[in-house]
């Protein structure tokens, strides 16, 4: 029985994917714009041919979408898995660690988007529940504004942290987030 060498479960395929992604991130750091990254350049730096690249991705935009999808799946695993053993605080700390470990990609990603959005509302079921139960929020429009405020604020904090090369520890960043949330409650 012949094994498909191009299978996504094949070690060589996975290694080539890692190399493509590493080179892609390096080029994002250098070029700063997705539109300036070519498949030819990725292949040359990765030491692969175009055929190998096309076995993995249609183009650089689809490569970016795959990386975004992987990011989103990880975030979902942190925030929405039923019976998760981690507290909400621990999940944020794990999120910050994940981002710090991949800071080169996320720094460029957030700075290259016209509307940087690293997270979305569906990732925060606890927040949604608390907002829905709040006596201060009387309608769906207010609820949507609260969600938008929280996600935009968290994204901005993460973006600033990444742009500062993650100088603060994950715990310090969590403290900053907690201060912001406390400040928001003071205003109400």
């Amino acid at each position: 029985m012949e094994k498909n060498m191009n299978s996504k479960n094949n070690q060589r395929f996975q290694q080539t994917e890692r190399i493509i992604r590493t080179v892609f991130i390096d080029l994002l750091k250098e070029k700063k714009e997705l539109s300036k990254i070519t498949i030819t350049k990725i292949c040359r730096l990765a030491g692969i041919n175009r055929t190998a690249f096309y076995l993995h991705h249609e183009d650089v935009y689809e490569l970016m979408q795959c990386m975004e999808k992987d990011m989103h799946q990880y975030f979902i695993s942190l925030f929405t898995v039923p019976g998760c053993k981690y507290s909400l605080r621990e999940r944020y700390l794990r999120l910050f660690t994940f981002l710090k470990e991949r800071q080169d990609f996320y720094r460029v990603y957030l700075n290259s988007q016209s509307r940087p959005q690293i997270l979305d509302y569906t990732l925060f079921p606890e927040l949604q529940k608390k907002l829905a139960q709040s006596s201060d929020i009387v309608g769906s429009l207010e609820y949507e504004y609260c969600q938008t405020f929280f996600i935009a604020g968290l994204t901005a904090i993460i973006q600033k942290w990444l742009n500062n090369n993650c100088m603060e520890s994950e715990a310090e960043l969590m403290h900053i987030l907690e201060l912001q949330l406390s400040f928001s409650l003071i205003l109400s």
Side-chain angles (χ1 to χ4, degrees):
M1 186 150 102
E2 186 177 323
K3 190 174 185 178
N4 183 357
M5 296 304 289
N6 296 325
S7 167
K8 290 186 179 189
N9 295 323
N10 175 286
Q11 283 185 332
R12 180 176 282 168
F13 186 93
Q14 292 172 357
Q15 178 63 23
T16 301
E17 180 66 16
R18 281 191 293 275
I19 292 168
I20 288 170
R21 288 178 180 221
T22 299
V23 167
F24 180 67
I25 290 168
D26 290 343
L27 288 171
L28 275 174
K29 287 190 296 189
E30 177 187 318
K31 304 281 185 192
K32 307 285 190 223
E33 290 181 41
L34 188 59
S35 63
K36 294 186 179 185
I37 297 174
T38 65
I39 293 170
T40 302
K41 184 86 168 182
I42 292 172
C43 291
R44 187 172 58 76
L45 294 174
I48 62 171
N49 60 38
R50 291 176 72 86
T51 303
F53 179 89
Y54 287 121
L55 286 172
H56 291 259
H57 303 284
E58 296 172 17
D59 55 30
V60 294
Y61 298 98
E62 191 267 341
L63 171 56
M64 178 65 110
Q65 287 175 342
C66 284
M67 294 178 77
E68 290 172 353
K69 181 181 172 191
D70 290 348
M71 166 184 70
H72 192 73
Q73 287 175 338
Y74 179 77
F75 292 158
I76 287 172
S77 74
L78 280 178
F79 289 99
T80 62
V81 175
C84 181
K85 63 183 179 196
Y86 300 109
S87 69
L88 187 57
R89 187 177 201 286
E90 290 170 321
R91 286 184 266 172
Y92 277 110
L93 289 170
R94 290 172 57 87
L95 168 66
F96 298 152
T97 299
F98 175 83
L99 293 170
K100 186 175 187 176
E101 289 170 351
R102 293 155 184 84
Q103 65 181 289
D104 291 332
F105 171 75
Y106 291 110
R107 183 181 307 111
V108 173
Y109 171 74
L110 286 172
N111 288 322
S112 67
Q113 302 298 310
S114 60
R115 283 185 49 207
Q117 186 75 16
I118 198 166
L119 306 166
D120 67 35
Y121 312 126
T122 61
L123 299 179
F124 299 95
E126 291 93 346
L127 174 67
Q128 289 179 336
K129 188 176 179 180
K130 286 180 182 178
L131 285 175
Q133 293 171 347
S134 172
S135 61
D136 294 338
I137 299 176
V138 292
S140 62
L141 184 60
E142 289 178 4
Y143 179 75
E144 289 175 26
Y145 276 111
C146 287
Q147 286 182 326
T148 301
F149 179 78
F150 175 76
I151 297 299
L154 179 58
T155 301
I157 287 171
I158 289 170
Q159 187 173 13
K160 181 168 182 61
W161 182 58
L162 292 171
N163 286 338
N164 288 336
N165 296 314
C166 303
M167 290 179 54
E168 299 82 9
S169 71
E170 293 91 326
E172 290 171 318
L173 189 63
M174 186 68 217
H175 178 70
I176 291 167
L177 178 60
E178 289 169 337
L179 286 174
Q180 299 310 307
L181 293 172
S182 297
F183 181 72
S184 295
L185 294 173
I186 292 169
L187 293 177
S188 58

